[in-house]
Amino acid sequence: MKLLVTGGAGFIGSNFARYILANHPDDSVVNLDALTYAGNLENLADVQDNPRYTFIHGDITSHRDISKAFREHPIDVIVNFAAESHVDRSLHMGPRAFIQTNILGTQLLLDAARKHKIQRFLQVSTDEVYGSLGPAGAFTEETPLQPNNPYAATKAGADCMVRAATHSHGLDCVITRCSNNFGPYQFPEKLIPLMISTALEDKPLPVYGDGLHVRDWIYVADHCAGIDAALRKGKSGEVYNLGGNYDVPNIQIVKGILKILSKPESLITFVKDRPGHDRRYAMNSSKAQHELGWKPAHHFEDALKTTVEWYVGHPAWWQRIRSGEYREAYEKLYGWRNEQCR
Ligand code: NAD
Ligand code: DAU
């Protein structure tokens, strides 16, 4: 099977591309990525010479770039990771790039999927489309969509366009909605890599509000396995929740990182809260467990330790990002510009 993986130079997309190449020897991966601030070809340096892997520098909001991918490769399925993915950016820098990539880009990919009659379109979505939970319960696939921030709203919009493509045009589509990922190659703007890299620099760790907001954490390899299962065994038109069964307050995560690094809790600094900050996410993934035979295989504590060790062992990777050096390299290589995301 030939997979068009969009956003494959980002955190989860790069882990997924590596997962497919390692676990499916007959599959090949075409990675279409615009290399925004979050895309980094170093994430896939170990597979760049694999004959089953191809990189195309292209934008999912460009009809021309998508057509080029289809012209050059007989694509069987699309797995759409490409997105503006950071909630704080959607709040502080405006939603425009989010609307363009997350909604318009998804629609252009759906159009191409129809035109080229591909076998399946898999949309990588998020638990954030469901909004926030009270003190009890968990999101199911039947929970109404109630996105509370611009990022989540655009992901919900994309999910609706995917649903419409199946309902109106009979396109074979599956949506996965996952909880908070962590693991190697995560951009150090997100909680866990931000806290690890900041603690390694002995700088204050910014915890929003009271630190008691709850997220459901999943190791990225488990998310990749869930997407793979949905791609091969999921039913067209269905949504599958993928969660880590590990929902805890942010402060517990931060303290856990400091403990692994043997750094003092005095580094923790409570800062102004994120506007409209969702209080609690938790996932019920029993549908994926029963219909796909999937459940997370990694224990949180072990996976967090592995992740911390990865960042400790790869200082050049995150220091280059934090210093902005890698962006200068891309500007030279591709003339890359993404003013909205700076
Ligand atoms: P990321 O920000 O690390 O990577 C996004 C990638 O998409 C980058 O490589 C970027 O260059 C690329 N991209 C952005 N705009 C593009 C465009 N217009 N055309 C082509 N490529 C473009 O994101 P991530 O954390 O790896 O998330 C990947 C997907 O998974 C997203 O769709 C996100 O909504 C979803 N998701 C993420 C999480 C999480 O915890 N990180 C959880 C659930 C779902
Ligand atoms: O739930 C899935 C979502 O998880 C994905 O769809 C998003 O793409 C991904 O970015 C993530 O969104 P969150 O907003 O939950 O992740 P983030 O890492 O930004 O924040 C996690 C929690 O930590 C959240 O409650 C806010 C808090 N936080 C975050 C940062 C960056 C802090 O307290 N301090 C920080 O500096």
Side-chain angles (χ1 to χ4, degrees), residues 7 9-12 33-36 38-39 58-60 81 83 85 101 124-125 151 155 178-179 181:
F11 163 48
I12 308 172
D33 197 299
L35 300 179
T36 68
D59 192 322
I60 64 164
F81 291 92
S85 69
T101 289
V124 181
S125 186
Y151 158 73
K155 291 297 288 186
C178 192
S179 59
N181 284 225

mmCIF file with all atom_site columns, all heavy atoms in Angstrom, residues 7 9-12 33-36 38-39 58-60 81 83 85 101 124-125 151 155 178-179 181, ligand 1:
data_model
loop_
_atom_site.group_PDB
_atom_site.id
_atom_site.type_symbol
_atom_site.label_atom_id
_atom_site.label_alt_id
_atom_site.label_comp_id
_atom_site.label_asym_id
_atom_site.label_entity_id
_atom_site.label_seq_id
_atom_site.pdbx_PDB_ins_code
_atom_site.Cartn_x
_atom_site.Cartn_y
_atom_site.Cartn_z
_atom_site.occupancy
_atom_site.B_iso_or_equiv
_atom_site.pdbx_formal_charge
_atom_site.auth_seq_id
_atom_site.auth_comp_id
_atom_site.auth_asym_id
_atom_site.auth_atom_id
_atom_site.pdbx_PDB_model_num
ATOM   1   N N   . GLY A 1 7   ? 1.959   16.194 6.601  1.00 0.00 ? 7   GLY A N   1
ATOM   2   C CA  . GLY A 1 7   ? 2.487   16.636 7.904  1.00 0.00 ? 7   GLY A CA  1
ATOM   3   C C   . GLY A 1 7   ? 3.444   15.629 8.507  1.00 0.00 ? 7   GLY A C   1
ATOM   4   O O   . GLY A 1 7   ? 3.638   15.584 9.726  1.00 0.00 ? 7   GLY A O   1
ATOM   5   N N   . ALA A 1 9   ? 6.589   15.590 8.576  1.00 0.00 ? 9   ALA A N   1
ATOM   6   C CA  . ALA A 1 9   ? 7.823   16.117 9.180  1.00 0.00 ? 9   ALA A CA  1
ATOM   7   C C   . ALA A 1 9   ? 7.569   16.666 10.586 1.00 0.00 ? 9   ALA A C   1
ATOM   8   O O   . ALA A 1 9   ? 8.476   17.175 11.230 1.00 0.00 ? 9   ALA A O   1
ATOM   9   C CB  . ALA A 1 9   ? 8.427   17.205 8.294  1.00 0.00 ? 9   ALA A CB  1
ATOM   10  N N   . GLY A 1 10  ? 6.319   16.565 11.048 1.00 0.00 ? 10  GLY A N   1
ATOM   11  C CA  . GLY A 1 10  ? 6.000   17.019 12.403 1.00 0.00 ? 10  GLY A CA  1
ATOM   12  C C   . GLY A 1 10  ? 6.187   15.892 13.409 1.00 0.00 ? 10  GLY A C   1
ATOM   13  O O   . GLY A 1 10  ? 6.745   14.832 13.096 1.00 0.00 ? 10  GLY A O   1
ATOM   14  N N   . PHE A 1 11  ? 5.697   16.130 14.593 1.00 0.00 ? 11  PHE A N   1
ATOM   15  C CA  . PHE A 1 11  ? 5.916   15.179 15.699 1.00 0.00 ? 11  PHE A CA  1
ATOM   16  C C   . PHE A 1 11  ? 5.260   13.816 15.441 1.00 0.00 ? 11  PHE A C   1
ATOM   17  O O   . PHE A 1 11  ? 5.935   12.791 15.283 1.00 0.00 ? 11  PHE A O   1
ATOM   18  C CB  . PHE A 1 11  ? 5.381   15.834 16.988 1.00 0.00 ? 11  PHE A CB  1
ATOM   19  C CG  . PHE A 1 11  ? 5.135   14.920 18.145 1.00 0.00 ? 11  PHE A CG  1
ATOM   20  C CD1 . PHE A 1 11  ? 6.087   13.985 18.544 1.00 0.00 ? 11  PHE A CD1 1
ATOM   21  C CD2 . PHE A 1 11  ? 3.937   15.003 18.870 1.00 0.00 ? 11  PHE A CD2 1
ATOM   22  C CE1 . PHE A 1 11  ? 5.852   13.142 19.630 1.00 0.00 ? 11  PHE A CE1 1
ATOM   23  C CE2 . PHE A 1 11  ? 3.699   14.173 19.951 1.00 0.00 ? 11  PHE A CE2 1
ATOM   24  C CZ  . PHE A 1 11  ? 4.643   13.236 20.329 1.00 0.00 ? 11  PHE A CZ  1
ATOM   25  N N   . ILE A 1 12  ? 3.929   13.790 15.361 1.00 0.00 ? 12  ILE A N   1
ATOM   26  C CA  . ILE A 1 12  ? 3.263   12.480 15.266 1.00 0.00 ? 12  ILE A CA  1
ATOM   27  C C   . ILE A 1 12  ? 3.435   11.894 13.864 1.00 0.00 ? 12  ILE A C   1
ATOM   28  O O   . ILE A 1 12  ? 3.664   10.685 13.706 1.00 0.00 ? 12  ILE A O   1
ATOM   29  C CB  . ILE A 1 12  ? 1.762   12.591 15.636 1.00 0.00 ? 12  ILE A CB  1
ATOM   30  C CG1 . ILE A 1 12  ? 1.593   13.295 16.986 1.00 0.00 ? 12  ILE A CG1 1
ATOM   31  C CG2 . ILE A 1 12  ? 1.130   11.194 15.694 1.00 0.00 ? 12  ILE A CG2 1
ATOM   32  C CD1 . ILE A 1 12  ? 0.150   13.613 17.347 1.00 0.00 ? 12  ILE A CD1 1
ATOM   33  N N   . ASP A 1 33  ? 4.794   17.692 3.105  1.00 0.00 ? 33  ASP A N   1
ATOM   34  C CA  . ASP A 1 33  ? 4.865   18.593 4.264  1.00 0.00 ? 33  ASP A CA  1
ATOM   35  C C   . ASP A 1 33  ? 5.341   19.970 3.814  1.00 0.00 ? 33  ASP A C   1
ATOM   36  O O   . ASP A 1 33  ? 6.288   20.096 3.029  1.00 0.00 ? 33  ASP A O   1
ATOM   37  C CB  . ASP A 1 33  ? 5.816   18.017 5.337  1.00 0.00 ? 33  ASP A CB  1
ATOM   38  C CG  . ASP A 1 33  ? 5.618   18.679 6.691  1.00 0.00 ? 33  ASP A CG  1
ATOM   39  O OD1 . ASP A 1 33  ? 5.810   19.907 6.782  1.00 0.00 ? 33  ASP A OD1 1
ATOM   40  O OD2 . ASP A 1 33  ? 5.266   17.982 7.652  1.00 0.00 ? 33  ASP A OD2 1
ATOM   41  N N   . ALA A 1 34  ? 4.696   21.004 4.336  1.00 0.00 ? 34  ALA A N   1
ATOM   42  C CA  . ALA A 1 34  ? 5.028   22.381 3.955  1.00 0.00 ? 34  ALA A CA  1
ATOM   43  C C   . ALA A 1 34  ? 6.235   22.917 4.727  1.00 0.00 ? 34  ALA A C   1
ATOM   44  O O   . ALA A 1 34  ? 6.723   24.000 4.425  1.00 0.00 ? 34  ALA A O   1
ATOM   45  C CB  . ALA A 1 34  ? 3.826   23.283 4.200  1.00 0.00 ? 34  ALA A CB  1
ATOM   46  N N   . LEU A 1 35  ? 6.695   22.159 5.731  1.00 0.00 ? 35  LEU A N   1
ATOM   47  C CA  . LEU A 1 35  ? 7.804   22.617 6.596  1.00 0.00 ? 35  LEU A CA  1
ATOM   48  C C   . LEU A 1 35  ? 7.523   24.009 7.166  1.00 0.00 ? 35  LEU A C   1
ATOM   49  O O   . LEU A 1 35  ? 8.259   24.960 6.920  1.00 0.00 ? 35  LEU A O   1
ATOM   50  C CB  . LEU A 1 35  ? 9.148   22.578 5.855  1.00 0.00 ? 35  LEU A CB  1
ATOM   51  C CG  . LEU A 1 35  ? 9.574   21.194 5.352  1.00 0.00 ? 35  LEU A CG  1
ATOM   52  C CD1 . LEU A 1 35  ? 10.904  21.269 4.607  1.00 0.00 ? 35  LEU A CD1 1
ATOM   53  C CD2 . LEU A 1 35  ? 9.679   20.198 6.513  1.00 0.00 ? 35  LEU A CD2 1
ATOM   54  N N   . THR A 1 36  ? 6.434   24.089 7.912  1.00 0.00 ? 36  THR A N   1
ATOM   55  C CA  . THR A 1 36  ? 6.175   25.304 8.687  1.00 0.00 ? 36  THR A CA  1
ATOM   56  C C   . THR A 1 36  ? 7.155   25.301 9.853  1.00 0.00 ? 36  THR A C   1
ATOM   57  O O   . THR A 1 36  ? 8.028   24.425 9.939  1.00 0.00 ? 36  THR A O   1
ATOM   58  C CB  . THR A 1 36  ? 4.741   25.304 9.253  1.00 0.00 ? 36  THR A CB  1
ATOM   59  O OG1 . THR A 1 36  ? 4.642   24.277 10.246 1.00 0.00 ? 36  THR A OG1 1
ATOM   60  C CG2 . THR A 1 36  ? 3.709   25.082 8.160  1.00 0.00 ? 36  THR A CG2 1
ATOM   61  N N   . ALA A 1 38  ? 6.851   24.097 12.546 1.00 0.00 ? 38  ALA A N   1
ATOM   62  C CA  . ALA A 1 38  ? 6.775   22.832 13.298 1.00 0.00 ? 38  ALA A CA  1
ATOM   63  C C   . ALA A 1 38  ? 7.326   21.643 12.527 1.00 0.00 ? 38  ALA A C   1
ATOM   64  O O   . ALA A 1 38  ? 7.507   20.571 13.093 1.00 0.00 ? 38  ALA A O   1
ATOM   65  C CB  . ALA A 1 38  ? 5.322   22.548 13.688 1.00 0.00 ? 38  ALA A CB  1
ATOM   66  N N   . GLY A 1 39  ? 7.570   21.813 11.243 1.00 0.00 ? 39  GLY A N   1
ATOM   67  C CA  . GLY A 1 39  ? 8.065   20.702 10.420 1.00 0.00 ? 39  GLY A CA  1
ATOM   68  C C   . GLY A 1 39  ? 9.581   20.680 10.435 1.00 0.00 ? 39  GLY A C   1
ATOM   69  O O   . GLY A 1 39  ? 10.230  21.714 10.304 1.00 0.00 ? 39  GLY A O   1
ATOM   70  N N   . GLY A 1 58  ? 5.580   20.377 0.093  1.00 0.00 ? 58  GLY A N   1
ATOM   71  C CA  . GLY A 1 58  ? 4.345   20.908 -0.481 1.00 0.00 ? 58  GLY A CA  1
ATOM   72  C C   . GLY A 1 58  ? 3.316   21.213 0.585  1.00 0.00 ? 58  GLY A C   1
ATOM   73  O O   . GLY A 1 58  ? 3.393   20.733 1.720  1.00 0.00 ? 58  GLY A O   1
ATOM   74  N N   . ASP A 1 59  ? 2.327   22.004 0.165  1.00 0.00 ? 59  ASP A N   1
ATOM   75  C CA  . ASP A 1 59  ? 1.352   22.573 1.084  1.00 0.00 ? 59  ASP A CA  1
ATOM   76  C C   . ASP A 1 59  ? -0.026  21.977 0.787  1.00 0.00 ? 59  ASP A C   1
ATOM   77  O O   . ASP A 1 59  ? -0.448  21.967 -0.386 1.00 0.00 ? 59  ASP A O   1
ATOM   78  C CB  . ASP A 1 59  ? 1.345   24.095 0.819  1.00 0.00 ? 59  ASP A CB  1
ATOM   79  C CG  . ASP A 1 59  ? 0.610   24.873 1.872  1.00 0.00 ? 59  ASP A CG  1
ATOM   80  O OD1 . ASP A 1 59  ? -0.421  24.385 2.363  1.00 0.00 ? 59  ASP A OD1 1
ATOM   81  O OD2 . ASP A 1 59  ? 1.061   25.987 2.193  1.00 0.00 ? 59  ASP A OD2 1
ATOM   82  N N   . ILE A 1 60  ? -0.742  21.529 1.802  1.00 0.00 ? 60  ILE A N   1
ATOM   83  C CA  . ILE A 1 60  ? -2.063  20.938 1.545  1.00 0.00 ? 60  ILE A CA  1
ATOM   84  C C   . ILE A 1 60  ? -3.109  22.000 1.190  1.00 0.00 ? 60  ILE A C   1
ATOM   85  O O   . ILE A 1 60  ? -4.217  21.661 0.800  1.00 0.00 ? 60  ILE A O   1
ATOM   86  C CB  . ILE A 1 60  ? -2.574  20.042 2.703  1.00 0.00 ? 60  ILE A CB  1
ATOM   87  C CG1 . ILE A 1 60  ? -2.809  20.844 3.988  1.00 0.00 ? 60  ILE A CG1 1
ATOM   88  C CG2 . ILE A 1 60  ? -1.627  18.867 2.945  1.00 0.00 ? 60  ILE A CG2 1
ATOM   89  C CD1 . ILE A 1 60  ? -3.671  20.115 5.027  1.00 0.00 ? 60  ILE A CD1 1
ATOM   90  N N   . PHE A 1 81  ? -2.210  14.229 8.728  1.00 0.00 ? 81  PHE A N   1
ATOM   91  C CA  . PHE A 1 81  ? -1.705  14.800 9.987  1.00 0.00 ? 81  PHE A CA  1
ATOM   92  C C   . PHE A 1 81  ? -1.506  16.306 9.866  1.00 0.00 ? 81  PHE A C   1
ATOM   93  O O   . PHE A 1 81  ? -1.427  16.992 10.888 1.00 0.00 ? 81  PHE A O   1
ATOM   94  C CB  . PHE A 1 81  ? -0.323  14.217 10.340 1.00 0.00 ? 81  PHE A CB  1
ATOM   95  C CG  . PHE A 1 81  ? -0.312  12.772 10.732 1.00 0.00 ? 81  PHE A CG  1
ATOM   96  C CD1 . PHE A 1 81  ? -0.113  11.782 9.786  1.00 0.00 ? 81  PHE A CD1 1
ATOM   97  C CD2 . PHE A 1 81  ? -0.467  12.398 12.057 1.00 0.00 ? 81  PHE A CD2 1
ATOM   98  C CE1 . PHE A 1 81  ? -0.080  10.448 10.146 1.00 0.00 ? 81  PHE A CE1 1
ATOM   99  C CE2 . PHE A 1 81  ? -0.439  11.069 12.435 1.00 0.00 ? 81  PHE A CE2 1
ATOM   100 C CZ  . PHE A 1 81  ? -0.241  10.086 11.467 1.00 0.00 ? 81  PHE A CZ  1
ATOM   101 N N   . ALA A 1 83  ? -1.364  19.987 10.021 1.00 0.00 ? 83  ALA A N   1
ATOM   102 C CA  . ALA A 1 83  ? -2.232  20.908 10.755 1.00 0.00 ? 83  ALA A CA  1
ATOM   103 C C   . ALA A 1 83  ? -1.391  21.963 11.448 1.00 0.00 ? 83  ALA A C   1
ATOM   104 O O   . ALA A 1 83  ? -0.203  21.765 11.705 1.00 0.00 ? 83  ALA A O   1
ATOM   105 C CB  . ALA A 1 83  ? -3.046  20.146 11.814 1.00 0.00 ? 83  ALA A CB  1
ATOM   106 N N   . SER A 1 85  ? -1.168  22.997 14.997 1.00 0.00 ? 85  SER A N   1
ATOM   107 C CA  . SER A 1 85  ? -1.569  22.100 16.085 1.00 0.00 ? 85  SER A CA  1
ATOM   108 C C   . SER A 1 85  ? -1.509  22.712 17.486 1.00 0.00 ? 85  SER A C   1
ATOM   109 O O   . SER A 1 85  ? -1.873  22.036 18.444 1.00 0.00 ? 85  SER A O   1
ATOM   110 C CB  . SER A 1 85  ? -0.669  20.852 16.052 1.00 0.00 ? 85  SER A CB  1
ATOM   111 O OG  . SER A 1 85  ? 0.656   21.196 16.432 1.00 0.00 ? 85  SER A OG  1
ATOM   112 N N   . THR A 1 101 ? -5.131  25.810 6.873  1.00 0.00 ? 101 THR A N   1
ATOM   113 C CA  . THR A 1 101 ? -4.577  24.453 6.802  1.00 0.00 ? 101 THR A CA  1
ATOM   114 C C   . THR A 1 101 ? -5.578  23.412 7.295  1.00 0.00 ? 101 THR A C   1
ATOM   115 O O   . THR A 1 101 ? -5.824  22.407 6.618  1.00 0.00 ? 101 THR A O   1
ATOM   116 C CB  . THR A 1 101 ? -3.275  24.361 7.619  1.00 0.00 ? 101 THR A CB  1
ATOM   117 O OG1 . THR A 1 101 ? -2.272  25.097 6.932  1.00 0.00 ? 101 THR A OG1 1
ATOM   118 C CG2 . THR A 1 101 ? -2.811  22.918 7.780  1.00 0.00 ? 101 THR A CG2 1
ATOM   119 N N   . VAL A 1 124 ? -6.710  12.558 11.026 1.00 0.00 ? 124 VAL A N   1
ATOM   120 C CA  . VAL A 1 124 ? -6.160  12.486 12.383 1.00 0.00 ? 124 VAL A CA  1
ATOM   121 C C   . VAL A 1 124 ? -6.724  13.665 13.180 1.00 0.00 ? 124 VAL A C   1
ATOM   122 O O   . VAL A 1 124 ? -6.319  14.809 12.985 1.00 0.00 ? 124 VAL A O   1
ATOM   123 C CB  . VAL A 1 124 ? -4.619  12.529 12.358 1.00 0.00 ? 124 VAL A CB  1
ATOM   124 C CG1 . VAL A 1 124 ? -4.062  12.439 13.778 1.00 0.00 ? 124 VAL A CG1 1
ATOM   125 C CG2 . VAL A 1 124 ? -4.071  11.401 11.487 1.00 0.00 ? 124 VAL A CG2 1
ATOM   126 N N   . SER A 1 125 ? -7.673  13.375 14.050 1.00 0.00 ? 125 SER A N   1
ATOM   127 C CA  . SER A 1 125 ? -8.321  14.442 14.801 1.00 0.00 ? 125 SER A CA  1
ATOM   128 C C   . SER A 1 125 ? -7.995  14.319 16.301 1.00 0.00 ? 125 SER A C   1
ATOM   129 O O   . SER A 1 125 ? -7.094  13.575 16.685 1.00 0.00 ? 125 SER A O   1
ATOM   130 C CB  . SER A 1 125 ? -9.828  14.417 14.532 1.00 0.00 ? 125 SER A CB  1
ATOM   131 O OG  . SER A 1 125 ? -10.448 15.528 15.140 1.00 0.00 ? 125 SER A OG  1
ATOM   132 N N   . TYR A 1 151 ? -8.141  26.580 17.614 1.00 0.00 ? 151 TYR A N   1
ATOM   133 C CA  . TYR A 1 151 ? -7.542  25.347 17.079 1.00 0.00 ? 151 TYR A CA  1
ATOM   134 C C   . TYR A 1 151 ? -8.589  24.233 17.044 1.00 0.00 ? 151 TYR A C   1
ATOM   135 O O   . TYR A 1 151 ? -8.809  23.574 16.014 1.00 0.00 ? 151 TYR A O   1
ATOM   136 C CB  . TYR A 1 151 ? -6.336  24.928 17.926 1.00 0.00 ? 151 TYR A CB  1
ATOM   137 C CG  . TYR A 1 151 ? -5.994  23.457 17.800 1.00 0.00 ? 151 TYR A CG  1
ATOM   138 C CD1 . TYR A 1 151 ? -5.408  22.958 16.635 1.00 0.00 ? 151 TYR A CD1 1
ATOM   139 C CD2 . TYR A 1 151 ? -6.288  22.547 18.826 1.00 0.00 ? 151 TYR A CD2 1
ATOM   140 C CE1 . TYR A 1 151 ? -5.121  21.604 16.505 1.00 0.00 ? 151 TYR A CE1 1
ATOM   141 C CE2 . TYR A 1 151 ? -6.004  21.200 18.700 1.00 0.00 ? 151 TYR A CE2 1
ATOM   142 C CZ  . TYR A 1 151 ? -5.420  20.732 17.541 1.00 0.00 ? 151 TYR A CZ  1
ATOM   143 O OH  . TYR A 1 151 ? -5.142  19.389 17.410 1.00 0.00 ? 151 TYR A OH  1
ATOM   144 N N   . LYS A 1 155 ? -10.357 22.034 13.936 1.00 0.00 ? 155 LYS A N   1
ATOM   145 C CA  . LYS A 1 155 ? -10.290 20.565 13.837 1.00 0.00 ? 155 LYS A CA  1
ATOM   146 C C   . LYS A 1 155 ? -11.712 19.986 13.762 1.00 0.00 ? 155 LYS A C   1
ATOM   147 O O   . LYS A 1 155 ? -11.966 19.036 13.023 1.00 0.00 ? 155 LYS A O   1
ATOM   148 C CB  . LYS A 1 155 ? -9.538  19.965 15.031 1.00 0.00 ? 155 LYS A CB  1
ATOM   149 C CG  . LYS A 1 155 ? -8.044  20.262 15.066 1.00 0.00 ? 155 LYS A CG  1
ATOM   150 C CD  . LYS A 1 155 ? -7.268  19.693 13.889 1.00 0.00 ? 155 LYS A CD  1
ATOM   151 C CE  . LYS A 1 155 ? -7.109  18.191 13.934 1.00 0.00 ? 155 LYS A CE  1
ATOM   152 N NZ  . LYS A 1 155 ? -6.224  17.673 12.853 1.00 0.00 ? 155 LYS A NZ  1
ATOM   153 N N   . CYS A 1 178 ? -7.679  11.572 19.102 1.00 0.00 ? 178 CYS A N   1
ATOM   154 C CA  . CYS A 1 178 ? -6.729  11.122 20.122 1.00 0.00 ? 178 CYS A CA  1
ATOM   155 C C   . CYS A 1 178 ? -6.552  12.173 21.213 1.00 0.00 ? 178 CYS A C   1
ATOM   156 O O   . CYS A 1 178 ? -6.818  13.362 21.017 1.00 0.00 ? 178 CYS A O   1
ATOM   157 C CB  . CYS A 1 178 ? -5.388  10.811 19.458 1.00 0.00 ? 178 CYS A CB  1
ATOM   158 S SG  . CYS A 1 178 ? -4.264  9.920  20.550 1.00 0.00 ? 178 CYS A SG  1
ATOM   159 N N   . SER A 1 179 ? -6.077  11.712 22.345 1.00 0.00 ? 179 SER A N   1
ATOM   160 C CA  . SER A 1 179 ? -5.790  12.600 23.477 1.00 0.00 ? 179 SER A CA  1
ATOM   161 C C   . SER A 1 179 ? -4.360  13.140 23.359 1.00 0.00 ? 179 SER A C   1
ATOM   162 O O   . SER A 1 179 ? -3.719  13.005 22.313 1.00 0.00 ? 179 SER A O   1
ATOM   163 C CB  . SER A 1 179 ? -6.010  11.840 24.782 1.00 0.00 ? 179 SER A CB  1
ATOM   164 O OG  . SER A 1 179 ? -5.164  10.708 24.828 1.00 0.00 ? 179 SER A OG  1
ATOM   165 N N   . ASN A 1 181 ? -0.626  13.607 23.156 1.00 0.00 ? 181 ASN A N   1
ATOM   166 C CA  . ASN A 1 181 ? 0.531   12.756 22.870 1.00 0.00 ? 181 ASN A CA  1
ATOM   167 C C   . ASN A 1 181 ? 1.793   13.295 23.533 1.00 0.00 ? 181 ASN A C   1
ATOM   168 O O   . ASN A 1 181 ? 1.930   14.503 23.740 1.00 0.00 ? 181 ASN A O   1
ATOM   169 C CB  . ASN A 1 181 ? 0.802   12.746 21.366 1.00 0.00 ? 181 ASN A CB  1
ATOM   170 C CG  . ASN A 1 181 ? -0.164  11.890 20.570 1.00 0.00 ? 181 ASN A CG  1
ATOM   171 O OD1 . ASN A 1 181 ? 0.248   11.135 19.706 1.00 0.00 ? 181 ASN A OD1 1
ATOM   172 N ND2 . ASN A 1 181 ? -1.450  11.990 20.850 1.00 0.00 ? 181 ASN A ND2 1
HETATM 173 P P1  . NAD B 2 .   ? 3.035   19.260 14.624 1.00 0.00 ? 1   NAD B P1  1
HETATM 174 O O1  . NAD B 2 .   ? 2.690   20.694 14.786 1.00 0.00 ? 1   NAD B O1  1
HETATM 175 O O2  . NAD B 2 .   ? 4.199   18.700 15.352 1.00 0.00 ? 1   NAD B O2  1
HETATM 176 O O3  . NAD B 2 .   ? 3.251   18.934 13.068 1.00 0.00 ? 1   NAD B O3  1
HETATM 177 C C1  . NAD B 2 .   ? 2.414   19.438 12.064 1.00 0.00 ? 1   NAD B C1  1
HETATM 178 C C2  . NAD B 2 .   ? 3.099   19.167 10.726 1.00 0.00 ? 1   NAD B C2  1
HETATM 179 O O4  . NAD B 2 .   ? 2.196   19.606 9.691  1.00 0.00 ? 1   NAD B O4  1
HETATM 180 C C3  . NAD B 2 .   ? 4.417   19.914 10.525 1.00 0.00 ? 1   NAD B C3  1
HETATM 181 O O5  . NAD B 2 .   ? 5.381   19.055 9.955  1.00 0.00 ? 1   NAD B O5  1
HETATM 182 C C4  . NAD B 2 .   ? 4.051   21.027 9.563  1.00 0.00 ? 1   NAD B C4  1
HETATM 183 O O6  . NAD B 2 .   ? 5.133   21.445 8.750  1.00 0.00 ? 1   NAD B O6  1
HETATM 184 C C5  . NAD B 2 .   ? 2.949   20.368 8.753  1.00 0.00 ? 1   NAD B C5  1
HETATM 185 N N1  . NAD B 2 .   ? 2.042   21.333 8.127  1.00 0.00 ? 1   NAD B N1  1
HETATM 186 C C6  . NAD B 2 .   ? 1.414   22.395 8.720  1.00 0.00 ? 1   NAD B C6  1
HETATM 187 N N2  . NAD B 2 .   ? 0.696   23.054 7.812  1.00 0.00 ? 1   NAD B N2  1
HETATM 188 C C7  . NAD B 2 .   ? 0.823   22.399 6.632  1.00 0.00 ? 1   NAD B C7  1
HETATM 189 C C8  . NAD B 2 .   ? 0.303   22.584 5.323  1.00 0.00 ? 1   NAD B C8  1
HETATM 190 N N3  . NAD B 2 .   ? -0.519  23.607 5.043  1.00 0.00 ? 1   NAD B N3  1
HETATM 191 N N4  . NAD B 2 .   ? 0.644   21.700 4.354  1.00 0.00 ? 1   NAD B N4  1
HETATM 192 C C9  . NAD B 2 .   ? 1.476   20.679 4.627  1.00 0.00 ? 1   NAD B C9  1
HETATM 193 N N5  . NAD B 2 .   ? 2.028   20.461 5.829  1.00 0.00 ? 1   NAD B N5  1
HETATM 194 C C10 . NAD B 2 .   ? 1.693   21.313 6.827  1.00 0.00 ? 1   NAD B C10 1
HETATM 195 O O7  . NAD B 2 .   ? 1.696   18.479 14.986 1.00 0.00 ? 1   NAD B O7  1
HETATM 196 P P2  . NAD B 2 .   ? 1.491   17.094 15.751 1.00 0.00 ? 1   NAD B P2  1
HETATM 197 O O8  . NAD B 2 .   ? 1.459   17.334 17.206 1.00 0.00 ? 1   NAD B O8  1
HETATM 198 O O9  . NAD B 2 .   ? 2.400   16.089 15.171 1.00 0.00 ? 1   NAD B O9  1
HETATM 199 O O10 . NAD B 2 .   ? -0.017  16.771 15.302 1.00 0.00 ? 1   NAD B O10 1
HETATM 200 C C11 . NAD B 2 .   ? -0.285  16.088 14.098 1.00 0.00 ? 1   NAD B C11 1
HETATM 201 C C12 . NAD B 2 .   ? -1.771  15.917 13.934 1.00 0.00 ? 1   NAD B C12 1
HETATM 202 O O11 . NAD B 2 .   ? -2.298  15.181 15.038 1.00 0.00 ? 1   NAD B O11 1
HETATM 203 C C13 . NAD B 2 .   ? -2.566  17.216 13.888 1.00 0.00 ? 1   NAD B C13 1
HETATM 204 O O12 . NAD B 2 .   ? -3.580  17.085 12.938 1.00 0.00 ? 1   NAD B O12 1
HETATM 205 C C14 . NAD B 2 .   ? -3.153  17.347 15.281 1.00 0.00 ? 1   NAD B C14 1
HETATM 206 O O13 . NAD B 2 .   ? -4.359  18.070 15.254 1.00 0.00 ? 1   NAD B O13 1
HETATM 207 C C15 . NAD B 2 .   ? -3.369  15.896 15.630 1.00 0.00 ? 1   NAD B C15 1
HETATM 208 N N6  . NAD B 2 .   ? -3.350  15.574 17.066 1.00 0.00 ? 1   NAD B N6  1
HETATM 209 C C16 . NAD B 2 .   ? -2.286  15.961 17.817 1.00 0.00 ? 1   NAD B C16 1
HETATM 210 C C17 . NAD B 2 .   ? -2.251  15.592 19.154 1.00 0.00 ? 1   NAD B C17 1
HETATM 211 C C18 . NAD B 2 .   ? -1.080  15.973 20.045 1.00 0.00 ? 1   NAD B C18 1
HETATM 212 O O14 . NAD B 2 .   ? -1.134  15.741 21.246 1.00 0.00 ? 1   NAD B O14 1
HETATM 213 N N7  . NAD B 2 .   ? 0.006   16.533 19.518 1.00 0.00 ? 1   NAD B N7  1
HETATM 214 C C19 . NAD B 2 .   ? -3.303  14.866 19.721 1.00 0.00 ? 1   NAD B C19 1
HETATM 215 C C20 . NAD B 2 .   ? -4.383  14.515 18.907 1.00 0.00 ? 1   NAD B C20 1
HETATM 216 C C21 . NAD B 2 .   ? -4.391  14.859 17.576 1.00 0.00 ? 1   NAD B C21 1
#
